[in-house]
């Protein structure tokens, strides 16, 4: 048990207490010598006290350089016994009031050394004290006492102190044993508590859902790893901050509302949706100390739900287009033929000819819209083969740069490719159409000039292509509907360009989405599977594969959303 004591700290404590006691004794003894008549040898007493101070200073220096603390403790106890004997002799022997220092040394021995040492030190203290009294009584050394007791009285004093020292040694041993036992129990309890705290901390950090605790003032006191990853913030950016500042929507209050969905923006201006559940943090006998927030990421599920809704709309538009396109073209052809015949009448005035020209142009424009409509609604043939996205993208950007220079638009196109090659299994012409439509949309969003930054990077199993413009940006409502047909934000557009982009990307089993804020530009993100990643179907790469690929059926996306909900 003794090994559980920090002996170095106890020795440091002993040195400090010794110096305090020496100072106190010196002051008291000098005051007594000044106020009452005594036989105290002042110079000898001061020399002894000075020597004791020197021993204390030596032990302070020894403590930092010598690590045999048990030997140091023994040496200090023996030194103190000798010095106490000298001080008792100089202050009057049997008349001295400082013989209480012997029990103090015995107690210190019981603390610093094994229990048997307390009894040995008590015996040695009895021998030294008896020796001092005997030498003074028989005049072998000079006595500084003011009284002369009888021999029997002297022997009684000696033996009373013997029993007192042994009793102090016994009691000190018992108390120190209890103290050491209590210390061992405290260490064991502290270790068990620490293990329990570590276990609870590991459980909290291992939970897949984000977990945030706050005080009653709403400031964050804990955020587990899942919450930090979901919010894309470090502990320094979370702890101590108000939890309401993290989200764009109000949080549930835990009383009338215990759960809700809220949104927040990440560092990359990408908006996420999370489900937040709140409960009061109650501690028995202390009441509510704060709140616990559980966070679940619903961003991907909500994205799939939007795709399901979009696919429903696209399917309805396709069916509508197939049903009425030909019906519109038939009367349109008749109108165009009739107008052509009317324009040949020689008696027609200039005003009438101008009106016929307007009808002709509008008929041609309407025919172009119907042609785009039919091209969008019909299934497309794809020739999948090995293609390099870097080459396809460079070809598209080269054409667009020449166009921007010729039209003097003030638009700068910057490209940053983190990889020299980005191989995919794709229809190169269709992917070029995707790139062209997205860059065309970005150029139209910057009527007063700006910068279009295009990049390719490696992201897990996919290649990610980004198109970031500095244009006017879009509202969240516009961003959500950007890939739906007839949602053009530009004058003269049919609103089918980005719808075609979405259709082509879906046929390539890829993903495309937009991030935007009004006045801060728009970023289109396109992800396609890398060629070296195993694809479903094991399509051979030796020969091009021609496929007629319609849009992804809504039922397939609905099944994916259902699977995501079950996993969530």
């Amino acid at each position: 048990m003794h090994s559980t004591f920090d002996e170095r700290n106890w020795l440091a404590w002993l040195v400090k207490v010794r110096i305090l006691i020496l100072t106190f004794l010196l002051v008291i003894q000098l005051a007594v010598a000044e106020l009452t008549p005594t036989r105290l040898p002042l110079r000898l007493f001061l020399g002894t006290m000075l020597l004791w101070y020197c021993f204390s200073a030596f032990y302070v220096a020894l403590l930092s350089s010598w690590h045999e603390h048990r030997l140091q403790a023994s040496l200090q106890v023996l030194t103190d016994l000798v010095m106490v004997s000298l001080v008792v002799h100089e202050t009057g022997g049997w008349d001295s009031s400082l013989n209480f220092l012997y029990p103090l040394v015995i107690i210190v021995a019981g603390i610093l050394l094994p229990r048997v040492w307390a009894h040995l030190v008590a015996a040695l203290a009895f021998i030294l004290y008896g020796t001092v009294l005997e030498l003074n009584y028989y005049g072998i050394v000079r006595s500084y006492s003011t009284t002369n007791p009888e021999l029997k009285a002297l022997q009684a004093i000696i033996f009373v102190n013997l029993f007192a020292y042994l009793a102090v040694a016994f009691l000190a041993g018992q108390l120190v044993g209890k103290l050491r036992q209590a210390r061992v129990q405290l260490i064991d309890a502290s270790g068990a508590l620490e293990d329990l705290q570590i276990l609870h901390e590991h459980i909290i950090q291992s939970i897949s859902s984000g977990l945030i605790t706050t005080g009653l003032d709403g400031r964050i006191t804990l955020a587990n790893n899942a919450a930090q990853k979901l919010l894309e913030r470090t502990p320094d950016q979370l702890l101590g901050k108000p939890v309401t500042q993290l989200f764009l929507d109000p949080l549930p209050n835990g009383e009338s509302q215990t759960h809700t969905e809220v949104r927040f923006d990440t560092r990359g201006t990408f908006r996420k949706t999370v489900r937040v559940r709140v409960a009061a943090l109650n501690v028995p006998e202390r009441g509510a100390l704060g709140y616990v927030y559980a966070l679940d990421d619903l961003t991907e599920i909500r994205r799939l739900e939007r795709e399901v809704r979009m696919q429903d709309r696209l399917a309805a538009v396709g069916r509508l287009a197939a049903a009425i396109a030909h019906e519109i073209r038939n009367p349109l052809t008749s109108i165009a033929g009739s107008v052509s015949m009317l324009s040949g009448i020689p008696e027609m005035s200039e005003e009438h000819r101008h009106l016929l020209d307007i009808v002709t142009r509008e008929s041609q424009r309407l025919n172009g819209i119907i042609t785009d409509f039919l091209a969008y609604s019909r299934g497309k043939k794809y020739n999948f083969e090995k293609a390099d996205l870097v080459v396809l993208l460079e070809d598209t950007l080269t054409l667009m740069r020449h166009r921007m220079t010729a039209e003097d638009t003030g638009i700068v196109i910057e490209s940053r490719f983190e990889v020299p090659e980005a191989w995919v299994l794709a229809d190169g012409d269709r992917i070029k159409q995707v790139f062209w439509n997205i860059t065309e949309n970005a150029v139209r969003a910057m009527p007063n000039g700006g910068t279009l930054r295009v990049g390719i990077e490696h992201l897990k199993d996919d290649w990610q292509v980004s198109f970031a413009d500095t244009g006017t940006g879009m509202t969240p409502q516009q961003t959500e509907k950007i890939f739906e047909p007839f949602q053009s934000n530009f004058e003269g557009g049919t609103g089918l360009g980005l719808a075609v982009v979405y259709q082509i990307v879906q046929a390539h089993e890829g993903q495309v989405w937009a991030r935007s804020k009004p006045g801060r530009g728009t970023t289109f993100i396109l992800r396609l599977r890398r060629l070296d990643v195993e694809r479903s179907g094991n399509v051979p790469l030796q020969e091009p594969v021609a496929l007629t690929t319609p849009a992804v059926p809504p039922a397939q996306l609905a099944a994916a959303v259902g699977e995501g909900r079950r996993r969530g």
Side-chain angles (χ1 to χ4, degrees), residues 232-537:
E232 297 184 11
R233 286 175 170 84
T234 63
D236 294 336
Q237 296 171 331
L238 291 174
L239 298 181
K241 303 295 189 301
V243 68
T244 54
Q245 293 183 0
L246 299 176
F247 304 100
L248 302 175
D249 305 307
L251 294 172
N253 55 23
E255 297 176 357
S256 60
Q257 187 181 22
T258 58
H259 62 88
T260 187
E261 292 185 14
V262 297
R263 300 164 299 156
F264 68 95
D265 290 330
T266 62
R267 296 180 184 176
T269 68
F270 180 51
R271 183 163 293 177
K272 287 186 175 183
T273 302
V274 296
R275 178 175 58 201
V276 180
R277 291 167 292 170
V278 63
L281 179 59
N282 291 313
V283 177
E285 300 180 358
R286 296 180 63 183
L289 299 182
Y291 298 95
V292 179
Y293 295 87
L295 312 178
D296 294 310
D297 190 0
L298 301 181
T299 305
E300 186 65 17
I301 294 177
R302 295 295 174 259
R303 184 186 67 81
L304 293 174
E305 289 178 345
R306 287 195 298 270
E307 289 190 359
V308 168
R309 292 194 298 268
M310 186 182 299
Q311 288 293 337
D312 286 338
R313 298 188 188 109
L314 297 182
V317 170
R319 291 191 297 269
L320 178 63
I324 69 175
H326 290 290
E327 299 299 328
I328 294 176
R329 261 192 172 175
N330 289 335
L332 185 61
T333 302
S334 300
I335 292 172
S338 299
V339 170
S340 177
M341 293 180 62
L342 288 174
S343 62
I345 300 176
E347 294 82 3
M348 186 173 295
S349 65
E350 289 296 326
E351 182 179 357
H352 290 165
R353 291 184 183 279
H354 179 65
L355 292 175
L356 289 177
D357 290 340
I358 293 175
V359 173
T360 301
R361 288 197 304 271
E362 292 302 315
S363 298
Q364 292 174 350
R365 190 170 73 87
L366 182 58
N367 184 62
I369 293 175
I370 293 174
T371 300
D372 292 342
F373 208 177
L374 285 173
Y376 170 74
S377 61
R378 291 170 180 167
K380 297 176 176 61
K381 289 187 178 181
Y382 295 86
N383 294 317
F384 289 94
E385 57 185 356
K386 184 177 180 181
D388 186 0
L389 292 180
V390 173
V391 175
L392 299 178
L393 192 54
E394 284 180 342
D395 291 346
T396 304
L397 296 181
T398 299
L399 292 175
M400 187 60 70
R401 286 192 182 100
H402 287 309
R403 174 185 161 186
M404 297 298 100
T405 302
E407 297 178 359
D408 193 21
T409 58
I411 295 176
V412 177
I413 300 178
E414 300 177 355
S415 57
R416 186 186 64 180
F417 303 155
E418 296 184 359
V419 291
E421 296 177 338
W423 295 98
V424 294
L425 186 65
D427 186 327
D429 292 336
R430 298 294 185 186
I431 295 299
K432 275 188 178 181
Q433 184 180 359
V434 169
F435 293 160
W436 181 265
N437 288 358
I438 293 178
T439 53
E440 177 73 18
N441 191 81
V443 167
R444 288 189 176 188
M446 297 183 289
N448 300 320
T451 302
L452 173 60
R453 297 180 176 87
V454 183
I456 299 179
E457 60 182 331
H458 173 270
L459 188 65
K460 295 184 179 179
D461 295 338
D462 300 325
W463 296 115
Q464 178 167 293
V465 186
S466 60
F467 302 81
D469 64 59
T470 58
T472 55
M474 297 180 291
T475 63
Q477 293 76 16
Q478 291 173 322
T479 305
E480 183 176 351
K481 298 180 179 180
I482 190 64
F483 295 107
E484 296 182 7
F486 309 111
Q487 295 294 330
S488 177
N489 298 322
F490 309 111
E491 183 178 356
T494 63
L496 290 173
L498 292 179
V500 171
V501 166
Y502 183 83
Q503 197 177 57
I504 295 174
V505 173
Q506 287 291 312
H508 284 77
E509 298 181 2
Q511 294 179 340
V512 62
W513 66 89
R515 304 172 182 171
S516 184
K517 285 187 177 181
R520 296 179 61 180
T522 302
T523 300
F524 282 88
I525 304 296
L526 171 65
R527 287 185 184 174
L528 294 173
R529 183 68 60 86
R530 287 177 19 228
L531 185 60
D532 56 347
V533 176
E534 183 179 355
R535 298 172 60 89
S536 60

